[in-house]
Tab-separated table of all heavy atoms in Angstrom:
chain	number	residue	atom	x	y	z
A	129	THR	N	-13.434	-28.230	-7.267
A	129	THR	CA	-12.447	-27.848	-8.310
A	129	THR	C	-11.844	-29.052	-9.015
A	129	THR	O	-11.311	-28.848	-10.153
A	129	THR	CB	-11.209	-27.269	-7.563
A	129	THR	OG1	-10.631	-27.993	-6.549
A	129	THR	CG2	-11.553	-25.810	-7.045
A	130	GLY	N	-12.079	-30.269	-8.413
A	130	GLY	CA	-11.305	-31.347	-9.019
A	130	GLY	C	-9.923	-31.323	-9.004
A	130	GLY	O	-9.288	-30.810	-8.066
A	131	THR	N	-9.365	-31.527	-10.183
A	131	THR	CA	-7.749	-31.459	-10.364
A	131	THR	C	-7.225	-30.054	-10.788
A	131	THR	O	-5.999	-29.993	-11.063
A	131	THR	CB	-7.253	-32.602	-11.347
A	131	THR	OG1	-7.939	-32.183	-12.531
A	131	THR	CG2	-7.789	-33.882	-10.906
A	132	VAL	N	-8.029	-29.025	-10.935
A	132	VAL	CA	-7.502	-27.838	-11.422
A	132	VAL	C	-6.807	-27.022	-10.205
A	132	VAL	O	-7.457	-26.816	-9.176
A	132	VAL	CB	-8.686	-26.786	-11.873
A	132	VAL	CG1	-8.076	-25.442	-12.255
A	132	VAL	CG2	-9.402	-27.469	-13.097
A	133	PRO	N	-5.508	-26.803	-10.192
A	133	PRO	CA	-4.860	-26.222	-8.958
A	133	PRO	C	-5.505	-24.911	-8.693
A	133	PRO	O	-5.754	-24.023	-9.508
A	133	PRO	CB	-3.363	-25.942	-9.585
A	133	PRO	CG	-3.223	-26.858	-10.766
A	133	PRO	CD	-4.562	-27.020	-11.403
A	134	THR	N	-5.978	-24.847	-7.416
A	134	THR	CA	-6.662	-23.628	-7.041
A	134	THR	C	-6.110	-22.991	-5.677
A	134	THR	O	-5.953	-23.766	-4.750
A	134	THR	CB	-8.204	-23.988	-6.724
A	134	THR	OG1	-8.658	-24.552	-8.064
A	134	THR	CG2	-9.025	-22.756	-6.417
A	135	VAL	N	-5.980	-21.662	-5.712
A	135	VAL	CA	-5.366	-21.032	-4.556
A	135	VAL	C	-6.254	-19.801	-4.273
A	135	VAL	O	-6.353	-18.816	-5.221
A	135	VAL	CB	-3.955	-20.601	-4.863
A	135	VAL	CG1	-3.324	-19.826	-3.607
A	135	VAL	CG2	-3.099	-21.737	-5.258
A	136	LEU	N	-6.838	-19.806	-3.189
A	136	LEU	CA	-7.873	-18.563	-2.848
A	136	LEU	C	-7.075	-17.851	-1.749
A	136	LEU	O	-6.991	-18.273	-0.609
A	136	LEU	CB	-9.243	-19.165	-2.409
A	136	LEU	CG	-9.957	-20.028	-3.363
A	136	LEU	CD1	-11.359	-20.507	-2.814
A	136	LEU	CD2	-10.141	-19.268	-4.699
A	137	ILE	N	-6.654	-16.569	-2.146
A	137	ILE	CA	-5.773	-15.853	-1.153
A	137	ILE	C	-6.684	-14.879	-0.432
A	137	ILE	O	-7.680	-14.166	-0.989
A	137	ILE	CB	-4.791	-15.007	-2.059
A	137	ILE	CG1	-3.945	-15.902	-2.892
A	137	ILE	CG2	-3.910	-14.185	-1.099
A	137	ILE	CD1	-3.085	-15.125	-3.944
A	138	GLY	N	-6.508	-14.900	0.863
A	138	GLY	CA	-7.249	-13.961	1.735
A	138	GLY	C	-7.029	-12.629	1.418
A	138	GLY	O	-5.933	-12.106	1.001
A	139	GLY	N	-8.026	-11.658	1.573
A	139	GLY	CA	-8.003	-10.265	1.245
A	139	GLY	C	-6.861	-9.522	2.086
A	139	GLY	O	-6.542	-8.493	1.670
A	140	ASP	N	-6.462	-10.128	3.260
A	140	ASP	CA	-5.462	-9.552	3.962
A	140	ASP	C	-3.978	-10.056	3.503
A	140	ASP	O	-3.018	-9.610	4.051
A	140	ASP	CB	-5.601	-9.770	5.471
A	140	ASP	CG	-5.625	-11.239	5.858
A	140	ASP	OD1	-5.218	-12.118	5.027
A	140	ASP	OD2	-6.104	-11.572	6.906
A	141	ALA	N	-3.968	-11.027	2.560
A	141	ALA	CA	-2.801	-11.450	2.086
A	141	ALA	C	-2.002	-12.295	3.036
A	141	ALA	O	-0.755	-12.487	2.824
A	141	ALA	CB	-1.933	-10.382	1.226
A	142	HIS	N	-2.535	-12.742	4.106
A	142	HIS	CA	-1.940	-13.434	5.088
A	142	HIS	C	-2.089	-14.903	5.148
A	142	HIS	O	-1.628	-15.627	6.005
A	142	HIS	CB	-2.118	-12.860	6.477
A	142	HIS	CG	-1.190	-11.745	6.790
A	142	HIS	ND1	-0.090	-11.712	7.714
A	142	HIS	CD2	-1.265	-10.359	6.383
A	142	HIS	CE1	0.542	-10.587	7.846
A	142	HIS	NE2	-0.263	-9.758	6.976
A	143	HIS	N	-2.963	-15.340	4.261
A	143	HIS	CA	-3.199	-16.793	4.139
A	143	HIS	C	-3.843	-17.117	2.848
A	143	HIS	O	-4.216	-16.274	2.006
A	143	HIS	CB	-4.158	-17.275	5.311
A	143	HIS	CG	-5.644	-16.850	5.041
A	143	HIS	ND1	-6.228	-15.542	5.383
A	143	HIS	CD2	-6.655	-17.517	4.331
A	143	HIS	CE1	-7.384	-15.433	4.917
A	143	HIS	NE2	-7.687	-16.510	4.259
A	144	ALA	N	-3.814	-18.399	2.456
A	144	ALA	CA	-4.406	-18.886	1.287
A	144	ALA	C	-5.162	-20.241	1.551
A	144	ALA	O	-4.660	-21.096	2.314
A	144	ALA	CB	-3.482	-19.089	0.115
A	145	TRP	N	-6.332	-20.446	0.960
A	145	TRP	CA	-7.138	-21.612	1.077
A	145	TRP	C	-6.884	-22.275	-0.313
A	145	TRP	O	-7.175	-21.842	-1.308
A	145	TRP	CB	-8.519	-21.180	1.260
A	145	TRP	CG	-9.567	-22.418	1.105
A	145	TRP	CD1	-9.235	-23.724	1.480
A	145	TRP	CD2	-10.932	-22.361	1.008
A	145	TRP	NE1	-10.449	-24.503	1.383
A	145	TRP	CE2	-11.486	-23.683	1.134
A	145	TRP	CE3	-11.763	-21.242	0.837
A	145	TRP	CZ2	-12.791	-23.913	1.072
A	145	TRP	CZ3	-13.161	-21.579	0.677
A	145	TRP	CH2	-13.742	-22.803	0.754
A	146	MET	N	-6.113	-23.393	-0.211
A	146	MET	CA	-5.566	-24.184	-1.402
A	146	MET	C	-6.180	-25.484	-1.653
A	146	MET	O	-6.616	-26.119	-0.558
A	146	MET	CB	-4.079	-24.265	-1.313
A	146	MET	CG	-3.361	-22.941	-1.354
A	146	MET	SD	-1.533	-23.089	-0.992
A	146	MET	CE	-0.937	-24.085	-2.384
A	147	ASN	N	-6.388	-26.047	-2.762
A	147	ASN	CA	-6.897	-27.401	-2.879
A	147	ASN	C	-5.701	-28.355	-2.943
A	147	ASN	O	-4.527	-27.877	-3.041
A	147	ASN	CB	-7.811	-27.487	-4.087
A	147	ASN	CG	-7.133	-27.372	-5.460
A	147	ASN	OD1	-5.918	-27.006	-5.545
A	147	ASN	ND2	-7.815	-27.568	-6.630
A	148	SER	N	-5.945	-29.587	-3.097
A	148	SER	CA	-4.997	-30.650	-3.007
A	148	SER	C	-4.082	-30.617	-4.208
A	148	SER	O	-2.881	-30.739	-4.154
A	148	SER	CB	-5.623	-32.017	-2.953
A	148	SER	OG	-6.266	-32.213	-1.801
A	149	ALA	N	-4.686	-30.275	-5.397
A	149	ALA	CA	-3.936	-30.148	-6.654
A	149	ALA	C	-2.824	-29.104	-6.532
A	149	ALA	O	-1.741	-29.251	-7.002
A	149	ALA	CB	-4.855	-29.877	-7.789
A	150	ALA	N	-3.141	-27.911	-5.890
A	150	ALA	CA	-2.195	-26.785	-5.817
A	150	ALA	C	-1.156	-27.239	-4.680
A	150	ALA	O	0.055	-26.921	-4.951
A	150	ALA	CB	-2.891	-25.547	-5.414
A	151	LEU	N	-1.537	-27.794	-3.673
A	151	LEU	CA	-0.667	-28.175	-2.674
A	151	LEU	C	0.409	-29.174	-3.176
A	151	LEU	O	1.601	-29.029	-2.920
A	151	LEU	CB	-1.385	-28.804	-1.425
A	151	LEU	CG	-2.187	-27.926	-0.588
A	151	LEU	CD1	-3.163	-28.713	0.315
A	151	LEU	CD2	-1.420	-27.002	0.231
A	152	THR	N	-0.191	-30.137	-3.935
A	152	THR	CA	0.749	-31.113	-4.541
A	152	THR	C	1.787	-30.497	-5.516
A	152	THR	O	2.924	-30.663	-5.607
A	152	THR	CB	-0.094	-32.222	-5.283
A	152	THR	OG1	-0.945	-32.726	-4.367
A	152	THR	CG2	0.886	-33.444	-5.782
A	153	ALA	N	1.242	-29.613	-6.391
A	153	ALA	CA	2.007	-28.994	-7.452
A	153	ALA	C	3.165	-28.062	-6.924
A	153	ALA	O	4.178	-28.051	-7.550
A	153	ALA	CB	1.179	-28.107	-8.249
A	154	LEU	N	2.856	-27.565	-5.743
A	154	LEU	CA	3.873	-26.803	-5.102
A	154	LEU	C	4.762	-27.482	-4.031
A	154	LEU	O	5.491	-26.929	-3.249
A	154	LEU	CB	3.238	-25.393	-4.555
A	154	LEU	CG	2.790	-24.572	-5.645
A	154	LEU	CD1	1.803	-23.425	-4.991
A	154	LEU	CD2	3.771	-23.924	-6.507
A	155	GLY	N	4.450	-28.763	-3.932
A	155	GLY	CA	5.266	-29.590	-3.030
A	155	GLY	C	4.915	-29.406	-1.531
A	155	GLY	O	5.813	-29.603	-0.706
Side-chain angles (χ1 to χ4, degrees):
T129 58
T131 58
V132 180
T134 302
V135 181
L136 304 177
I137 305 166
D140 60 18
H142 276 254
H143 74 272
W145 177 17
M146 298 169 62
N147 70 353
S148 297
L151 289 167
T152 308
L154 294 169

